[in-house]
Amino acid sequence: FMKFNEYQQRTKTTAIYPEDQGLIYTALGLCSEAGEVADKIKKSIRDKGGKLEESDLLGLKKELGDVLWYVACLSLELGFSLQEVAEGNLDKLRSRADRDQLGGSGDNR
């Protein structure tokens, strides 16, 4: 299996955008690709009563890959390893679970 940091380093080989615009470019790309995921699911609700067929799942898998690529590149732009981001997220969620704070809203609960 590929590790997070290996994947992140390999994204550099396909990253084509102006170096001085990397932060905004990757942030906008992430939003765009996340929107494509949402749009595919929205259309399945509208056109298929929410039922996802095999072709829908394959399309979503590709779009999620694009989301992951942008998360990896944006993390690089910010100086974070993808492993660090993933572990930090799990630590945050574990802390919330320990304090019975998984529900609700707010970043610092």
Side-chain angles (χ1 to χ4, degrees):
F1 290 98
M2 186 183 324
K3 300 197 183 241
F4 275 131
N5 289 345
E6 179 185 350
Y7 173 81
Q8 187 176 33
Q9 292 306 309
R10 290 172 72 176
T11 63
K12 290 180 184 180
T13 65
T14 55
I16 302 173
Y17 51 82
E19 286 185 34
D20 65 336
Q21 297 294 312
L23 184 63
I24 190 70
Y25 183 91
T26 54
L28 291 172
L30 175 58
C31 292
S32 177
E33 293 300 336
E36 289 186 37
V37 170
D39 191 55
K40 286 187 179 304
I41 293 171
K42 177 201 72 167
K43 287 179 179 174
S44 78
I45 293 168
R46 181 192 65 200
D47 300 338
K48 302 174 186 176
K51 183 178 182 307
L52 295 171
E53 298 172 358
E54 188 67 25
S55 62
D56 301 316
L57 293 172
L58 291 174
L60 283 165
K61 184 178 180 181
K62 288 179 182 179
E63 296 303 338
L64 287 170
D66 291 341
V67 168
L68 181 60
W69 187 91
Y70 276 105
V71 168
C73 290
L74 179 55
S75 296
L76 276 174
E77 292 292 332
L78 294 167
F80 304 131
S81 74
L82 199 51
Q83 186 73 34
E84 175 184 10
V85 171
E87 288 176 358
N89 180 255
L90 289 177
D91 290 345
K92 175 186 77 174
L93 294 173
R94 193 174 305 111
S95 171
R96 286 180 182 173
D98 290 347
R99 294 177 288 111
D100 197 29
Q101 294 293 314
L102 283 173
S105 62
D107 289 340
N108 297 312
R109 58 181 189 276

